Amino acid sequence: MFGVTRFNLIFDIVATNQLKNPLTIADWGEFGFIEALKQRLPKASGDLKLGIGDDAAWWSPDVGNGILTTTDMLVEGVHFDLSYTSAADLGYKSLAVNLSDLAAMGAQPSTVYLSLALPARIEKAWLENYVEAFLELAQAYGVQLAGGDTVKADQLVISVTLCGLADAGKPVLRSGAAVGDDLYFSGSPGDSYLGLQLLLGRLHVPEDFGDFGDLNQSAAFLQMRHLRPSPRIELGAMLAASGAVTAMLDVSDGVIADLGHLLTASGGLGAEIEACRLPFSVAGRYFIDADLVDYVTLLSGGEDYELLFTASPEQRLEIETIAAETAVDLTRIGRITAPAGIFMLVDGSRKPVGERGGYDHFQDQSS
Ligand code: ADP
Ligand code: MG
């Protein structure tokens, strides 16, 4: 009797304690976490001869046209905010942004390394959800987690390094654009920006959404574009394999800023964007038409994780075919010019776009 009561008491204390203080990484420990991670993974296979558990991973790929590597670091408070980003969203996105970089080179992803700096407050359940979403996306793209590092720190920092192979063609660089090339963009610009503004509560979906459609569905769509961008791996590989594309990058800083990077890398060229061709989403259009956002802002917002690329006008049919085969919208939004600078063609006039593209508007917006 006494024993049972005592047991119940201890059980209650433990249960209450856990409710108030869920298990954290400090309870779990570095090696507990790594062991659980290892258990969760399938055995290394294919090119990966040895994964987690030794001093280094052993990767023995048939390198074809070469190995591509990319790394991205995400810092809490700088790149993400846990108040509106779930562990699963972050797990997904921390890999997705790296996949997007390899997509922009036309490479096939293969192995990934995950390094975590974890404050003691990080909960075990949070980490489990993070890893789950990370590995789910990895599996979807045939990527194996080959290693990483786990350390204690005051701030949550996530560093992901992704390796891939350029086996579908030569890697496509930013530097190959030529005067007269067409300029293309995949998907619709600015949705991620709008989604972030909604998440931050800086923008609200107005009540008079009119015939726009299901309001919540649209807000959810925009938020998903921010939290769960789609890596364009298949598209990037097909564009690279076609040989039609002269320069390509993925848009993480916004269309205008990243176009600037492509133009600079290609020797200081310029570009003209035809405003009427810009492929804003239905949701994006709504916010523009309601004067809630300036369309240049949608071209400057960042984190689209779409592909921006150039190709000779002779390749238009080829590009259309790839769009159809990959079921990704590809829009010809303008062309590359010899004079430097980015210009917008609006209602027959040619307006310079502000240097940084940001909220700087058009320099002569009044005209
Ligand atoms: P070492 O001290 O030899 O560098 P560690 O104890 O840091 O080894 O890591 C042990 C194994 O666990 C290594 O194979 C390493 O790659 C892997 N590892 C550690 N942390 C992570 C992580 N966050 N994600 C994936 N693998 C990890
Ligand atoms: Mg180590």
Side-chain angles (χ1 to χ4, degrees):
M1 197 52 196
F2 176 75
V4 171
T5 312
R6 211 174 100 118
F7 175 80
N8 282 348
L9 188 66
I10 291 170
F11 181 80
D12 282 352
I13 290 169
V14 171
T16 317
N17 237 351
Q18 287 212 355
L19 216 59
K20 277 198 200 127
N21 302 308
L23 279 184
T24 63
I25 180 68
D27 304 309
W28 204 6
E30 177 191 342
F31 298 108
F33 166 65
I34 295 174
E35 193 47 41
L37 188 59
K38 213 173 131 187
Q39 297 296 329
R40 165 75 180 68
L41 294 177
K43 203 173 168 303
S45 64
D47 293 350
L48 186 65
K49 305 296 176 199
L50 185 69
I52 292 180
D54 213 308
D55 294 313
W58 176 16
W59 183 38
S60 179
D62 176 358
V63 297
N65 282 321
I67 297 173
L68 285 298
T69 56
T70 181
T71 190
D72 265 302
M73 201 181 278
L74 302 172
V75 178
E76 183 181 5
V78 179
H79 303 100
F80 61 90
D81 186 330
L82 294 183
S83 65
Y84 60 80
T85 312
S86 72
D89 288 336
L90 195 58
Y92 176 99
K93 193 167 174 179
S94 55
L95 177 55
V97 298
N98 283 277
L99 287 167
S100 179
D101 279 321
L102 284 200
M105 305 297 290
Q108 287 293 344
S110 179
T111 52
V112 70
Y113 298 83
L114 171 63
S115 293
L116 301 167
L118 303 171
R121 68 179 148 84
I122 294 296
E123 290 172 16
K124 182 172 183 266
W126 189 93
L127 259 184
E128 285 168 340
N129 291 334
Y130 174 90
V131 165
E132 195 65 31
F134 184 98
L135 293 179
E136 204 178 297
L137 184 63
Q139 200 187 357
Y141 285 90
V143 173
Q144 297 186 75
L145 179 60
D149 204 9
T150 308
V151 299
K152 187 178 163 187
D154 292 336
Q155 208 175 358
L156 176 57
V157 181
I158 297 167
S159 173
V160 176
T161 301
L162 181 65
C163 306
L165 302 171
D167 57 3
K170 282 242 167 63
V172 184
L173 312 186
R174 296 177 173 193
S175 53
V179 174
D181 278 356
D182 290 328
L183 177 66
Y184 291 87
F185 183 73
S186 71
S188 42
D191 292 335
S192 169
Y193 169 83
L194 288 171
L196 176 62
Q197 300 310 306
L198 291 171
L199 286 165
L200 291 171
R202 290 186 190 153
L203 199 64
H204 296 278
V205 178
E207 278 170 25
D208 62 333
F209 229 39
D211 58 3
F212 175 65
D214 186 327
L215 184 146
N216 291 319
Q217 212 179 318
S218 309
F221 160 77
L222 294 171
Q223 290 172 5
M224 282 301 275
R225 294 303 300 153
H226 181 74
L227 297 170
R228 301 226 169 194
S230 313
R232 303 298 187 192
I233 291 290
E234 191 196 1
L235 174 63
M238 283 188 73
L239 289 171
S242 74
V245 172
T246 50
M248 179 154 66
L249 46 55
D250 71 318
V251 174
S252 53
D253 297 334
V255 172
I256 303 288
D258 282 316
L259 173 56
H261 298 148
L262 185 150
L263 296 171
T264 304
S266 295
L269 301 178
E272 284 175 353
I273 297 175
E274 291 180 57
C276 64
R277 301 189 72 98
L278 288 166
F280 295 112
S281 66
V282 178
R285 277 251 171 258
Y286 175 85
F287 282 96
I288 296 170
D289 293 346
D291 267 341
L292 291 167
V293 70
D294 171 339
Y295 77 95
V296 178
T297 302
L298 294 189
L299 295 178
S300 319
E303 298 220 69
D304 292 309
Y305 296 109
E306 293 289 353
L307 298 180
L308 186 69
F309 61 92
T310 54
S312 148
E314 285 156 31
Q315 301 291 346
R316 285 183 188 172
L317 202 61
E318 178 71 28
I319 305 292
E320 272 174 38
T321 308
I322 292 174
E325 281 176 17
T326 54
V328 177
D329 290 332
L330 296 182
T331 311
R332 184 159 52 83
I333 60 170
R335 71 191 62 80
I336 303 300
T337 60
I342 301 173
F343 292 84
M344 193 72 71
L345 303 181
V346 197
D347 301 330
S349 67
R350 194 168 178 270
K351 303 178 177 192
V353 178
E355 259 289 293
R356 305 226 64 242
Y359 224 137
D360 326 346
H361 323 281
F362 296 132
Q363 285 163 5
D364 60 348
Q365 206 175 26
S366 53
S367 68

